Amino acid sequence: MLDSVDSIAEYGLYIDGKEMPSASGRTMESEDPFTGKPWATVPDGNEDDVNAAVAAARAAFDTGPWGRMTATERGRLLRKLGDIIARDAAELAACESRDNGKLYREMLGQWQYLPEWFYYFAGMADKLQGDTIPSDRPNFFIYTRREPLGVVGAITPWNSPVLLLVFKLAPGLAAGCTFVVKPSEFTSVSTLELAKRIEEAGFPPGVFNVITGQGAMGAKLVDHPDVDKIAFTGATSTGKRIAASAAGNLTRVSLELGGKSPNIVFGDADIEVAVNGAIAGIFGATGQTCMAGSRLLVEKSVYDKVVDLLVKKTREIRLGNPMANETEMGPIANAPQLQKVLEYIKVAKEEGATLACGGQVDPDLGGNFVQPTVFTNVHNGMRIATEEVFGPILAVIPFEDEQEAVAIANDTRFGLAAAVWSQNIHRAHRVAHQLRAGTVWINAYRVVSFAAPFGGFKESGIGRENGVDSIREFTETKSVFVELSGAVRDPFKLG
Ligand code: NAD
């Protein structure tokens, strides 16, 4: 169905290994932000669907064949899934571009990289060892087991739907958990396509379930008593609501939230390279990334030079069809997001920031296309510098020296990412250590790896995804005490 541009693809929920309509009987349209037309329909689910999916995941975890598989067998399935995704990367990438308007070549790069997550965590599945504990009690042998946490509810946003799911799924499956996934109501199709590949790889029914619908379904999933962990990526405001309601059942949570990341250019940087990095940081993916370098901090000694080059290069960015190879920036992903971006442009002007370029819907392309926009003479107290826009809007802030740069960079409630541009190795590391952010790039921007922990300080989140330790977030540790003497013990004496 994906081959045909004109027909509307129809999808069902994926529960217990079966594609099915929602109990609500309703469907909703997925709109292509480039054409402005629907291209697929997915179920608009309800609470009954949440309950059915959680029951399937619970049964698969508690009594299904999944629980009896060895970790080595789980690893084998994950490797097979990686191979299937590598085979179908182009088709799956096209599907995400149609759903969220991001460049096809960026999504293709993402999908071609995704199998590595499955290979990395496949290798880790049977190396998840417990410890033998040096016992303080001579008649006890003590060891620990790392057991799978249980049923994971994964709730994902629209900007990189499956990449952000795989950050959770690959370590979670490797650890032996089962999943109920609630993708964004704007971009559900690629997760439903992933379900088909998971089935093809041979995962037993119920291990991976997908329910589609509005945010209220995510809320039902969070409240469900049979869910052991919620792994969420999305807005900070939603993350706070999730943390509050997860507290009701003491459900574990990991939260990957928003950012207002500082991109700091020192006078001793290679200016051309730094400006390219600033552009990649804010206009890549039309600024719709959690790690967007939305605050550009520039040392006063090079401020004019940086701004001139930045504005020149920003004006040259080619907007257009996300599927075309020459396009550098696609449309905003959906109508509410477009309104939010335009509102922030208005706010920035009202607050007295200087519009250096862009600042409106593109007059030629119209629709969801906003011009890449640079505001200069921003100070860090303005809303354009404190609130996440999630669009192609850059706030340029001057600074005097290193101390002031660090102070401005850290003066935010977020702490997801940051970058330092400097050719002075001492300064680059020194500043990187002082920045309160989960990821810091030196002379680079927007690089992630399955091997490197990713997550936020402060209101950018709780927990880390990726890297060796992330698999532990999908386990519980159990201590086992084994009595060695076999002697009859005094029942009223401890140990
Ligand atoms: P969102 O918070 O509006 O929605 C994310 C998901 O949560 C969707 O599936 C939505 O249906 C669901 N949801 C909505 N309300 C809910 C509720 N009360 N309970 C449970 N689930 C609910 O976010 P979005 O607009 O889809 O995505 C953009 C946001 O995501 C930005 O703030 C961005 O910074 C953030 N993000 C963070 C990361 C990261 O890794 N830190 C990555 C990408 C995006």
Side-chain angles (χ1 to χ4, degrees):
M1 273 186 288
L2 288 171
D3 296 338
S4 164
V5 172
D6 297 323
S7 68
I8 296 209
E10 290 173 11
Y11 289 85
L13 306 173
Y14 186 76
I15 298 177
D16 206 17
K18 293 182 275 297
E19 190 174 343
M20 60 179 70
S22 164
S24 72
R26 293 190 307 267
T27 60
M28 55 188 190
E29 291 175 335
S30 243
E31 193 173 282
D32 178 334
F34 175 61
T35 63
K37 292 189 183 134
W39 74 283
T41 65
V42 299
D44 184 8
N46 67 11
E47 188 173 359
D48 291 343
D49 302 322
V50 177
N51 292 338
V54 173
R58 189 79 255 166
F61 184 82
D62 289 340
T63 54
W66 179 244
R68 293 190 294 277
M69 267 185 202
T70 64
T72 307
E73 286 169 329
R74 290 201 303 269
R76 208 172 289 140
L77 288 181
L78 283 167
R79 271 194 297 280
K80 190 154 176 216
L81 177 58
D83 290 346
I84 293 170
I85 290 174
R87 181 195 71 195
D88 294 348
E91 184 188 346
L92 294 161
C95 189
E96 288 199 332
S97 284
R98 294 204 69 186
D99 246 355
N100 67 9
K102 277 170 77 170
L103 300 189
Y104 171 69
R105 57 191 161 99
E106 175 175 352
M107 299 326 282
L108 182 62
Q110 251 184 36
W111 276 96
Q112 286 171 334
Y113 192 28
L114 270 180
E116 299 298 338
W117 264 262
F118 292 106
Y119 302 145
Y120 181 77
F121 287 103
M124 218 179 281
D126 56 9
K127 292 160 200 73
L128 196 57
Q129 300 173 167
D131 293 316
T132 55
I133 308 289
S135 177
D136 59 317
R137 295 159 187 273
N139 57 331
F140 275 94
F141 167 52
I142 310 173
Y143 63 93
T144 61
R145 286 167 51 79
R146 285 248 162 219
E147 298 184 354
L149 194 57
V151 174
V152 178
I155 304 175
T156 50
W158 45 261
N159 58 332
S160 286
V162 170
L163 179 78
L164 298 168
L165 169 60
V166 168
F167 283 12
K168 308 158 187 24
L169 189 63
L173 290 176
C177 293
T178 59
F179 278 77
V180 176
V181 184
K182 209 308 265 169
S184 166
E185 51 275 37
F186 296 107
T187 56
S188 301
V189 174
S190 55
T191 306
L192 292 165
E193 285 286 337
L194 178 70
K196 296 181 190 170
R197 274 72 181 178
I198 287 179
E199 185 173 320
E200 183 187 339
F203 285 84
V207 171
F208 182 78
N209 306 276
V210 186
I211 48 174
T212 60
Q214 306 301 321
M217 283 188 90
K220 294 287 178 204
L221 189 59
V222 175
D223 285 340
H224 203 297
D226 283 340
V227 172
D228 298 291
K229 172 181 170 115
I230 291 291
F232 172 76
T233 299
T236 292
S237 53
T238 314
K240 286 181 181 178
R241 277 203 293 279
I242 287 176
S245 43
N249 294 321
L250 287 182
T251 306
R252 280 88 179 113
V253 283
S254 64
L255 303 171
E256 294 288 348
L257 309 176
K260 194 73 200 178
S261 299
N263 208 346
I264 310 170
V265 181
F266 286 100
D268 55 20
D270 179 324
I271 298 300
E272 171 108 31
V273 172
V275 168
N276 283 344
I279 287 176
I282 186 64
F283 301 128
T286 318
Q288 300 170 121
T289 72
C290 52
M291 61 180 86
S294 49
R295 289 184 297 150
L296 185 68
L297 279 48
V298 185
E299 190 162 353
K300 281 184 182 157
S301 58
V302 289
Y303 185 84
D304 290 341
K305 194 173 165 193
V306 167
V307 168
D308 288 350
L309 190 58
L310 175 71
V311 169
K312 178 176 171 294
K313 283 180 181 264
T314 300
R315 289 203 171 114
E316 289 166 5
I317 292 174
R318 286 191 298 266
L319 273 61
N321 184 346
M323 302 302 279
N325 233 351
E326 63 277 11
T327 301
E328 293 173 328
M329 207 179 96
I332 300 286
N334 53 62
Q337 191 59 28
L338 174 69
Q339 287 319 311
K340 185 177 167 199
V341 169
L342 295 176
E343 177 64 24
Y344 271 107
I345 291 173
K346 206 167 122 229
V347 167
K349 287 180 186 164
E350 283 165 8
E351 284 182 316
T354 307
L355 179 66
C357 65
Q360 56 177 352
V361 169
D362 187 82
D364 299 325
L365 292 162
N368 282 6
F369 282 92
V370 171
Q371 294 173 326
T373 298
V374 176
F375 280 103
T376 55
N377 298 319
V378 176
H379 69 73
N380 208 42
M382 292 179 179
R383 283 182 63 196
I384 199 71
T386 53
E387 298 173 19
E388 185 185 49
V389 177
F390 218 61
I393 314 292
L394 181 62
V396 189
I397 305 170
F399 68 84
E400 199 69 55
D401 56 20
E402 193 176 306
Q403 200 185 359
E404 194 188 13
V406 171
I408 296 173
N410 286 339
D411 181 18
T412 167
R413 63 194 179 94
F414 295 109
L416 191 62
V420 183
W421 299 86
S422 168
Q423 295 191 89
N424 177 336
I425 189 170
H426 312 289
R427 161 180 276 167
H429 286 275
R430 190 168 60 228
V431 172
H433 294 189
Q434 293 174 77
L435 293 170
R436 304 263 301 145
T439 298
V440 179
W441 297 283
I442 294 177
N443 296 327
Y445 210 90
R446 275 189 91 209
V447 188
V448 293
S449 163
F450 51 84
F454 180 75
F457 283 39
K458 302 192 265 182
E459 292 192 22
S460 287
I462 296 176
R464 292 292 178 273
E465 296 184 323
N466 304 334
V468 174
D469 290 343
S470 65
I471 195 167
R472 290 173 176 256
E473 306 226 1
F474 294 89
T475 65
E476 290 281 17
T477 303
K478 179 183 285 174
S479 293
V480 182
F481 288 70
V482 187
E483 211 283 334
L484 297 175
S485 73
V488 178
R489 306 188 57 75
D490 176 349
F492 301 107
K493 191 167 161 250
L494 183 69

